[in-house]
Amino acid sequence: IKDITNSVSGFFFVLIYARMVGLACIVYGLFFLVWIISKIIIVIILVVAPILLTCAMFPPTRKYATNWLQVILTPLVVILLLIVSCVQ
C-alpha cells in the first residue's frame, strides 16, 4: 500500500509541474506576441520618420514631430519592460 500512495502523490506533483510549465509557456507566448507587435509598430513608425523629421524644421508642423517622437518611444518602453520582467 505504501508504494501505491508514493506513486500517486508523485504523479500528482508531476501534474502540478506540468500545469506550471504550461502556464509559463502561455505567459512567455503572450510576452513574445507583445514584443512582435511592438517591433512591427516601431518599423511602421520609422518608415514615416523622414516625413516627420522635415515637419520638425518648421514651427507650424513641429507639434507633429514631437507627437511622433512620443509615439515611437512608447513601444520601446514596452519592450524594455518586457525584457526586465522576463529576466527576473
Side-chain angles (χ1 to χ4, degrees):
I1 294 175
K2 186 175 183 181
D3 292 332
I4 293 173
T5 57
N6 285 340
S7 63
V8 169
S9 64
F11 182 69
F12 178 72
F13 286 117
V14 168
L15 287 177
I16 291 174
Y17 178 73
R19 182 176 290 176
M20 290 174 60
V21 169
L23 287 173
C25 289
I26 290 171
V27 168
Y28 282 121
L30 290 174
F31 281 168
F32 181 72
L33 183 66
V34 170
W35 181 69
I36 291 294
I37 291 171
S38 295
K39 288 286 192 178
I40 291 171
I41 290 171
I42 289 171
V43 168
I44 291 171
I45 292 172
L46 286 176
V47 167
V48 184
I51 298 168
L52 292 170
L53 288 177
T54 56
C55 288
M57 293 189 299
F58 306 107
T61 57
R62 190 164 291 148
K63 62 180 177 182
Y64 299 122
T66 56
N67 289 340
W68 169 77
L69 190 60
Q70 290 173 354
V71 167
I72 199 166
L73 289 177
T74 302
L76 293 174
V77 171
V78 169
I79 290 175
L80 178 68
L81 290 175
L82 283 173
I83 291 171
V84 167
S85 65
C86 287
V87 169
Q88 293 179 356

